[in-house]
Amino acid sequence: MQTPWDTIFAARTQRITSSAIRELLKVTEQPDFISFGGGLPAPEAFPIAEVAEAAQRILREQGTQALQYGATEGYRPLREWVAAQMTSEGVPTHIENVLITTGSQQAIDLIGKVLLDEDDSVLVESPTYLAALQAWSVYGARYLEAPADERGMRTGALKKLLAQRPKLIYCLPNFQNPGGVTLSLARRRQLIEQAARYGTPILEDDPYRELRFEGAALPRLITLESARQEQHTAPYNGNVIYASTFSKVLAPGLRVGSIVAAPALIHKLVQAKQSTDLHTPTFNQMLVYELAKTGFLKRHAKVIAKMYRERRDIMLAAMQEHFPEGVRWTHPQGGMFLWVTLPEGMDAGELLKTAIAQKVAFVPGAPFHPNGGGANTLRLNFSNATPEQIHTGIARLGLAISEQLGTHSKALAFA
Ligand code: N5F
């Protein structure tokens, strides 16, 4: 007898859904397809020669260690590097504050695993990173939404929301995914202050920080919060959980990220990670460390930011040229995404069908809204396509929007 799989899945699998981004990746693999969908780095920016050279050196000099199991906490020199980095940014960080993760996606998942009980709520920006929602929904999370505008999460709404006692606040302060917006300094301060009042932890998810195109960098939430702590020596013991990743400044295929947080939380996260994957690949961690310790990654981030800035500018100009009136979009100061709002009543999911027929894709905005809404919004990635593809792709998309808009206004006229 064949196993009836559908009938034996655990009850929680009903809450496991597939990511709109991952699903889209399959469609966009066709030739001549232009994708503004997934947040993929520009392949031209991968430092292949440097990685090859470091890999050979590691295998030659530390080959047995590189290929062996390692500690769940992570490769010690890389943890020390992260700690030194954060300390220099005003957060007194000890190695016991640091956990190396398999990408920051794992950080998000592990945090859900150790903090969220069924029906616990998480306060999120709206819209927010859909794969965080996807991860936490499995643990039975519910969501409270603080809407975001051009200056990030609207902190005016916080008091009322925090009174509902969410377990966690999830915030993406820099070049937010999906909005592309950056949390202002005043709002950063308000967020820290309000969260401290209730003792609510904040997960600061910050993968795009190094990819700033213009303007001065704003302090991290963890840095602002650390300054408020009574204790100014390591280990850091505050309420902010800082998640970072090497995916955007080096390569996502290596799957290396990090968490900096209070030792008591790190300890629990380590236990949770043990049963998940034992540890992040040793070889990959050593590679990251080799490229980080020399300052190469810092310099390389600047090269990437320059490339993405050019792509953002091309996309903004092309949208100005090709998008019909009534369509609005954000102007990110960095990162990889911008956010488009179509005229009220239009449906980005419907638009995607027309767009795919014209060989261009984006991620519809609805899945970034945990409690519904956002049907007329969409996310565009500008890092992965070449300048030529951006020109062509935005022209195709403009045409698709105009077509849809025509049908839409006709439908309205006849209604
Ligand atoms: O560190 P890593 O590679 O696991 O990145 C996860 C992650 C965590 N937090 C935020 C805010 C992110 O934007 C990401 C990466 N997100 C990309 C996206 O398109 O939204 C990558 C998804 C790529 C994919 O699903 O193939």
Side-chain angles (χ1 to χ4, degrees):
M1 180 184 158
Q2 238 180 1
T3 307
W5 294 110
D6 278 355
T7 64
I8 66 159
F9 286 147
R12 70 178 162 281
T13 61
Q14 288 180 6
R15 293 193 293 234
I16 302 181
T17 51
S18 53
S19 144
I21 304 172
R22 303 253 81 198
E23 289 300 305
L24 210 57
L25 279 177
K26 296 180 204 158
V27 185
T28 57
E29 275 163 7
Q30 308 165 34
D32 189 35
F33 206 99
I34 298 172
S35 177
F36 303 129
L40 276 58
E44 303 86 349
F46 291 144
I48 295 172
E50 286 80 359
V51 171
E53 199 268 325
Q56 275 159 12
R57 189 158 12 100
I58 292 164
L59 288 172
R60 206 169 45 236
E61 294 168 10
Q62 296 160 280
T64 51
Q65 188 183 358
L67 300 181
Q68 190 55 281
Y69 283 119
T72 301
E73 287 82 349
Y75 178 53
R76 193 177 175 98
L78 183 59
R79 292 172 72 208
E80 283 169 350
W81 183 85
V82 171
Q85 207 52 28
M86 292 304 283
T87 303
S88 75
E89 298 280 346
V91 186
T93 311
H94 185 266
I95 185 166
E96 64 185 302
N97 290 123
V98 184
L99 168 63
I100 304 298
T101 56
T102 303
S104 51
Q105 188 63 38
Q106 183 178 56
I108 292 169
D109 185 57
L110 290 177
I111 288 161
K113 202 171 178 183
V114 309
L115 289 184
L116 300 178
D117 280 318
E118 189 96 359
D119 293 331
D120 274 345
S121 54
V122 183
L123 198 171
V124 300
E125 295 156 274
S126 171
T128 192
Y129 178 44
L130 63 83
L133 301 174
Q134 189 191 18
W136 295 331
S137 292
V138 180
Y139 302 114
R142 302 191 179 280
Y143 302 98
L144 299 173
E145 295 182 46
D149 60 24
E150 275 280 354
R151 284 176 294 136
M153 180 192 276
R154 277 166 36 197
T155 43
L158 278 179
K159 219 183 223 161
K160 244 171 75 190
L161 293 168
L162 285 169
Q164 298 176 55
R165 308 312 300 251
K167 220 23 169 338
L168 177 72
I169 301 170
Y170 179 52
C171 182
L172 300 103
N174 295 305
F175 331 120
Q176 198 246 21
N177 181 1
V181 297
T182 293
L183 191 65
S184 70
L185 182 57
R187 288 185 179 181
R188 285 175 197 233
R189 292 194 196 283
Q190 275 165 7
L191 173 57
I192 292 296
E193 212 168 285
Q194 296 285 340
R197 195 159 290 169
Y198 286 90
T200 313
I202 304 174
L203 170 55
E204 177 177 20
D205 188 8
D206 203 12
Y208 305 103
R209 181 178 179 85
E210 301 293 323
L211 304 180
R212 178 174 272 283
F213 311 153
E214 59 213 7
L218 292 171
R220 293 171 171 82
L221 297 173
I222 195 171
T223 303
L224 292 172
E225 199 244 12
S226 180
R228 289 171 56 107
Q229 296 283 314
E230 276 166 29
Q231 178 194 320
H232 291 290
T233 50
Y236 166 75
N237 220 343
N239 287 341
V240 179
I241 309 162
Y242 186 78
S244 188
T245 178
F246 295 95
S247 287
K248 314 297 175 177
V249 294
L250 177 53
L254 293 173
R255 313 301 307 128
V256 183
S258 64
I259 303 178
V260 170
L265 177 65
I266 292 291
H267 182 68
K268 194 40 90 182
L269 290 168
V270 168
Q271 291 176 340
K273 183 172 160 71
Q274 286 172 351
S275 62
T276 301
D277 64 353
L278 303 180
H279 63 83
T280 297
T282 319
F283 189 25
N284 297 9
Q285 295 186 66
M286 291 170 90
L287 266 174
V288 168
Y289 173 65
E290 282 297 306
L291 295 167
K293 73 173 184 192
T294 57
F296 170 77
L297 284 188
K298 271 240 152 13
R299 293 192 301 277
H300 190 60
K302 295 204 172 75
V303 176
I304 300 174
K306 194 162 166 260
M307 180 186 273
Y308 292 180
R309 180 192 178 132
E310 190 199 343
R311 294 180 181 197
R312 175 208 59 179
D313 289 344
I314 292 170
M315 187 172 272
L316 288 174
M319 291 195 302
Q320 194 68 43
E321 186 182 342
H322 297 289
F323 281 8
E325 216 164 299
V327 181
R328 290 179 291 122
W329 52 85
T330 56
H331 289 67
Q333 294 184 312
M336 301 178 28
F337 307 106
L338 55 83
W339 185 247
V340 177
T341 307
L342 302 167
E344 203 61 49
M346 264 187 89
D347 188 306
E350 283 300 313
L351 177 67
L352 182 61
K353 292 183 200 154
T354 321
I356 285 177
Q358 302 189 15
K359 294 202 163 182
V360 61
F362 55 83
V363 187
F368 296 94
H369 296 77
N371 302 322
N376 64 325
T377 57
L378 59 99
R379 186 189 82 173
L380 293 180
N381 164 269
F382 53 78
S383 60
N384 185 247
T386 62
E388 296 70 37
Q389 287 173 323
I390 294 175
H391 277 298
T392 316
I394 293 294
R396 287 181 192 171
L397 190 55
L399 213 62
I401 298 175
S402 298
E403 257 176 45
Q404 193 88 6
L405 204 55
T407 328
H408 173 66
S409 6
K410 265 188 224 138
L412 281 185
F414 287 114

